[in-house]
Amino acid sequence: MNGHLPGGFSLLVLQHHPAEHLGRFAPLLSEDSAHVRTVSLDQGEELPGLDGIDGVWALGGPMQVWQEGEFPWLADEKALIRDAVVERRLPFLGLCLGHQLLAESLGGAVGIAETPEVGVLPVTLTDAGQASGLFDGLERELMCIQGHGAQVSQLPPGADVLAASPDCAIQAIAFGRKAFGLQFHSELTLDMIDACLKIDAYKADFEAMLGEQGIARFREEVSNRSDYFDRVAERLYRNWARCAVA
């Protein structure tokens, strides 16, 4: 109950692009001696079975949840997430695309955002979010790194909204006490952002929303707030770990 995973905790990480990895969470998982198995789905690696897996994380990526024709492994990934969360009740965390995959896997819907969010922007916890163990010890309003053109448009049955922003009503969700999705990025470092800016889809969105000068200001703000983002990431991780082993 101290916010640490038990040694040897087996975490399956679903990765969708090399630029979007565990980032700020990696040293925390290492500190807990978690056994992390990363599956690079975009590189053609196959999904494993869930026997022996203690938890699942799904990371961000440049593809959309509905692009199963172009990325056929998305269908299998959604089935695995549904099995992990609904059938096996495993602890889960989804980030950006992973958050959207969680919602759709549980019967929600995802669509194009009317106003894409790019930059460091405020997110406000709902009453349910303030009461949730995931956000314990954090402020009601958080500054978060955003970079998404799609968002959850319909909440899955049985899920709760934990956070919202002016342009995105479903910034964080909970399904039960151990499965969570975050539309914002708590894992991204400045190096990861620079890597993402080399991805055509992301670069186009960032340039359209921010322009070259705006991108420079965004990078500067992420750099200046690095300690803050480290603190929020560590608190979210410790809270998730506490929920996972409760």
Side-chain angles (χ1 to χ4, degrees), residues 7-24:
F9 185 96
S10 180
L11 181 68
L12 175 64
V13 176
L14 308 175
Q15 184 170 292
H16 308 102
H17 193 280
E20 297 198 61
H21 49 78
L22 288 167
R24 296 180 195 273

Side-chain angles (χ1 to χ4, degrees), residues 119-138:
V120 178
L121 301 168
V123 168
T124 303
L125 301 184
T126 63
D127 290 345
Q130 284 195 296
S132 169
L134 184 66
F135 291 102
D136 184 48
L138 289 170

Side-chain angles (χ1 to χ4, degrees), residues 35-220:
H35 176 69
V36 178
R37 178 177 180 180
T38 299
V39 178
S40 299
L41 295 168
D42 63 305
Q43 302 299 312
E45 294 185 7
E46 294 187 4
L47 288 166
L50 290 174
D51 290 347
I53 298 296
D54 298 314
V56 179
W57 284 16
L59 305 181
M63 60 287 300
Q64 305 292 356
V65 297
W66 55 81
Q67 291 182 310
E68 294 181 6
E70 187 175 354
F71 307 100
W73 43 263
L74 281 168
D76 293 333
E77 183 179 14
K78 293 172 192 175
L80 181 143
I81 291 172
R82 187 163 50 250
D83 183 20
V85 174
V86 177
E87 302 301 328
R88 298 175 185 251
R89 301 288 178 175
L90 292 177
F92 180 92
L93 181 65
L95 302 171
C96 198
L97 174 63
H99 158 77
Q100 297 168 11
L101 286 167
L102 172 65
E104 186 167 291
S105 298
L106 300 182
V110 177
I112 296 293
E114 183 175 339
T115 303
E117 291 183 305
V118 176
V120 178
L121 301 168
V123 168
T124 303
L125 301 184
T126 63
D127 290 345
Q130 284 195 296
S132 169
L134 184 66
F135 291 102
D136 184 48
L138 289 170
E139 302 85 354
R140 181 154 198 171
E141 182 173 282
L142 302 172
M143 297 304 295
C144 300
I145 299 172
Q146 300 278 11
H148 65 99
Q151 62 191 39
V152 177
S153 56
Q154 180 179 325
L155 194 65
D160 295 312
V161 178
L162 302 184
S165 68
D167 292 318
C168 180
I170 305 177
Q171 279 283 348
I173 64 173
F175 183 81
R177 297 185 177 182
K178 297 186 177 185
F180 304 95
L182 304 176
Q183 181 59 73
F184 54 89
H185 288 279
S186 291
E187 81 285 12
L188 287 185
T189 63
L190 185 58
D191 286 345
M192 292 172 69
I193 289 171
D194 287 341
C196 286
L197 285 169
K198 295 178 182 178
I199 302 172
D200 289 342
Y202 286 156
K203 183 178 180 181
D205 286 343
F206 275 58
E207 288 182 344
M209 291 290 293
L210 302 178
E212 289 187 10
Q213 290 186 345
I215 289 175
R217 288 193 296 270
F218 170 51
R219 293 185 70 260
E220 183 178 8

